[in-house]
Amino acid sequence: MATDLFILAMDHRDSLAKLVYGIAGTPDAAEADRIARDKLLIFRGLLAALDRGADPSVTGVLVDERYGADVARLAREAGLRVAMPIEESGREFFTLEYGRIGEQTWLDHVERFSPDYVKVLVRDNPDFDPSDRKAQQQQLAVVSAALHDVHRTFLFELLVPPTDEQHDRLGHDFDARLRPHLTEQVIADFQTAGVEPDIWKIEGLEDAAAANDVVAVTQRGGRDNVRCIVLGRDAPVERLDHWLLIAAGTRGFAGFAIGRSIWEQPLVDHEAGRLNDDGVIDIVATNYLHFVQAYRDAS
């Protein structure tokens, strides 16, 4: 049985700058320093969770190089699992943050930090433009092959947003009625294109049947060692608890990577002067441990 993995995700960049700090455009040097300091503050919350009993062998952090280089180094020193993104933040379709497909630059950035997991964030839907989908699949196939050539574990974060037509037709029912099937199709399409993640980080599923069906696609064709983990999607606690309940009871799932649901509100309160550093650390630790315990209780 695969070891569980409980990741605190804080690789947010463009969305973090806009939603928490109200920064339009690229942050200046002072703003970037402030974001980096706050990422260290969030990380101190994870360290506090370790002091309260979190198991370091299954504790991880997903953090970016741009604002979180110090966090990545400190996490490595603490013996934690480290995941780092390679995609440019805020793009509709996958784009490398450093260098281009076919160049060595982005791999040099990976080697510099040597993370346990190399992560991409991808948005896809079978009803998106076929040429855009094909181009994205081709780029990610090159990335997948390059990572496996250098023996890096490939973590694929998949978002399947509704098209306008799907949203208008299904509204809030999209998640339960259509997204699981679209997720299966998208995963199969990437596999056919030569994209081979070791871990799929996917949106929570509403029932066991859907979870089993998605896992079956990720592991089809002899991919028995491929795992799935649940992403947070800034969902409220009650919904995340349900997603974790479903995942923990499904063979093939092995933990979570949750971010904003853990730290966004305390960070907003800190920015507004309603919460001091110690308050942020305490809430981050409490929230993280809640989701770990929810998953363990369900499994």
Side-chain angles (χ1 to χ4, degrees):
M1 182 175 179
T3 301
D4 288 335
L5 180 61
F6 302 124
I7 294 177
L8 175 59
M10 60 167 91
D11 62 322
H12 308 69
R13 285 152 282 164
D14 280 16
S15 61
L16 175 63
K18 293 172 185 175
L19 297 176
V20 174
Y21 304 96
I23 299 170
T26 303
D28 61 28
E31 291 167 335
D33 284 345
R34 180 173 52 166
I35 296 172
R37 287 195 304 270
D38 283 351
K39 291 207 174 195
L40 281 167
L41 186 60
I42 295 169
F43 180 66
R44 289 171 63 191
L46 187 60
L47 294 179
L50 295 175
D51 290 340
R52 298 185 195 178
D55 180 355
S57 70
V58 295
T59 299
V61 59
L62 169 57
V63 69
D64 57 291
E65 177 179 345
R66 189 193 306 179
Y67 303 123
D70 288 341
V71 170
R73 295 187 186 99
L74 290 170
R76 175 72 69 204
E77 291 172 7
L80 306 182
R81 310 285 187 88
V82 177
M84 299 189 76
I86 57 172
E87 81 279 351
E88 185 175 348
S89 183
R91 292 295 193 103
E92 185 176 356
F93 286 94
F94 173 77
T95 304
L96 284 167
E97 180 162 19
Y98 301 108
R100 298 179 180 179
I101 297 293
E103 296 179 348
Q104 181 67 25
T105 306
W106 68 273
L107 274 173
D108 289 341
H109 281 260
V110 171
E111 294 304 316
R112 185 177 306 158
F113 287 90
S114 191
D116 299 284
Y117 313 101
V118 180
K119 170 254 180 185
V120 297
L121 168 62
V122 178
R123 295 173 178 83
D124 196 15
N125 184 307
D127 286 346
F128 283 176
D129 180 82
S131 61
D132 288 336
R133 295 191 73 223
K134 183 176 181 180
Q136 180 164 253
Q137 290 164 359
Q138 290 173 337
Q139 290 190 68
L140 286 161
V142 174
V143 167
S144 176
L147 290 174
H148 287 144
D149 283 346
V150 295
H151 309 291
R152 293 291 174 188
T153 302
F154 186 20
L155 171 58
F156 194 110
E157 179 177 356
L158 176 62
L159 298 178
V160 183
T163 63
D164 290 342
E165 184 277 331
Q166 290 165 353
H167 180 270
D168 291 343
R169 175 162 51 91
L170 295 173
H172 293 301
D173 290 336
F174 171 80
D175 273 346
R177 292 178 54 190
L178 186 57
R179 182 168 53 76
H181 305 296
L182 298 181
T183 299
E184 293 173 42
Q185 185 174 340
V186 167
I187 290 171
D189 289 345
F190 275 117
Q191 291 170 334
T192 299
V195 182
E196 297 291 349
D198 300 288
I199 302 173
W200 289 91
K201 179 185 174 191
I202 60 175
E203 295 165 282
L205 296 156
E206 304 300 333
D207 59 66
N212 278 298
D213 288 345
V214 169
V215 168
V217 175
T218 66
Q219 296 185 339
R220 68 177 186 150
R223 299 176 176 89
D224 297 347
N225 292 325
V226 172
R227 292 180 289 164
C228 296
I229 59 175
V230 180
L231 61 85
R233 213 176 71 179
D234 198 23
V237 172
E238 296 78 10
R239 192 157 193 215
L240 262 174
D241 283 350
H242 177 70
W243 290 345
L244 295 178
L245 173 68
I246 296 299
T250 303
R251 188 176 181 85
F253 272 88
F256 63 72
I258 299 174
R260 289 181 296 165
S261 300
I262 291 174
W263 52 256
E264 185 175 62
Q265 190 57 53
L267 205 59
V268 168
D269 291 340
H270 182 266
E271 182 69 10
R274 296 188 293 266
L275 200 63
N276 62 17
D277 287 5
D278 289 342
V280 173
I281 292 166
D282 176 65
I283 294 174
V284 167
T286 299
N287 290 345
Y288 173 80
L289 289 169
H290 168 86
F291 292 127
V292 171
Q293 193 61 48
Y295 194 95
R296 289 201 181 283
D297 286 348
S299 61

